[in-house]
Amino acid sequence: MRVVILQANAVDESLALSDLAGVLLAHGHVVDLLLDDQEPDPAAALRLLRPDVVLVQAAYMGEPWTRRAVARVPDGVPSVLVGTSATFDEGLLSRIPADFVLMGELDHCAPVLLDALVGRVPLDAVPALRWLDAGTLRSNPWGEVPDLESLPLPDRSLYFGRYPFMGRFP
């Protein structure tokens, strides 16, 4: 699957997202990142990447941006909220019309969600997942912490490939 991650700005390189990119690449997925404040037309940039799923940064105090970003996700493409607000704000899906929320570290739950989106496993099997099911909020337990030694290296090209200036920050 082609996964596109939307991040609000170029304030920093997210180690969590670089870790996630490494994990998803190891599972055979393609991962791209769009920094909203660096794209002249973020919606057009997203459409050009032709994502199968879009992960949207949901940070505390960033809800207005998150709402706008989710609205730009092409019709028929699942949107998934990730980040601090996604982890700790149980009511986020009632305010932002995304399809799913992944809570906490994404290394163990994001690959399972991608498997669920293609029908390999049921949504009930995805650790740390929240979603609305006929208007009812469903929430799966967090699951087991993966063996950290088994995780692949972070993919820092997630940032530096499209945004080389990110590698020149002092």
Side-chain angles (χ1 to χ4, degrees):
M1 293 186 87
R2 178 174 290 279
V3 178
V4 175
I5 301 169
L6 300 182
Q7 183 174 323
N9 54 50
V11 170
D12 62 3
E13 170 195 356
S14 167
L15 298 177
L17 294 180
S18 295
D19 286 345
L20 173 64
V23 167
L24 293 179
L25 287 170
H27 281 86
H29 302 289
V30 175
V31 184
D32 291 299
L33 171 85
L34 290 176
L35 296 173
D36 199 71
D37 70 342
Q38 299 300 309
E39 296 295 333
D41 185 344
L46 180 59
R47 284 191 308 273
L48 283 174
L49 291 173
R50 301 178 52 136
D52 295 307
V53 62
V54 177
L55 305 183
V56 181
Q57 179 186 39
Y60 275 118
M61 298 177 33
E63 194 167 311
W65 176 84
T66 302
R67 185 176 291 107
R68 289 190 307 272
V70 167
R72 289 194 295 264
V73 174
D75 289 341
V77 175
S79 56
V80 183
L81 303 178
V82 299
T84 54
S85 190
T87 299
F88 298 109
D89 185 348
E90 191 172 316
L92 194 60
L93 279 178
S94 67
R95 299 187 310 276
I96 297 179
D99 296 299
F100 303 101
V101 165
L102 284 175
M103 302 174 283
E105 299 296 328
L106 304 171
D107 305 343
H108 68 293
C109 57
V112 183
L113 176 60
L114 297 182
D115 284 344
L117 292 177
V118 295
R120 290 189 193 117
V121 298
L123 289 176
D124 289 343
V126 180
L129 179 70
R130 283 190 187 130
W131 75 102
L132 290 173
D133 183 8
T136 300
L137 182 66
R138 306 266 315 267
S139 186
N140 292 344
W142 286 56
E144 298 296 318
V145 175
D147 172 21
L148 298 180
E149 295 294 324
S150 71
L151 295 177
L153 291 173
D155 178 28
R156 297 181 71 206
S157 70
L158 180 70
Y159 286 90
F160 307 144
R162 188 174 182 104
Y163 308 105
F165 73 91
M166 294 286 290
R168 296 189 299 271
F169 282 165

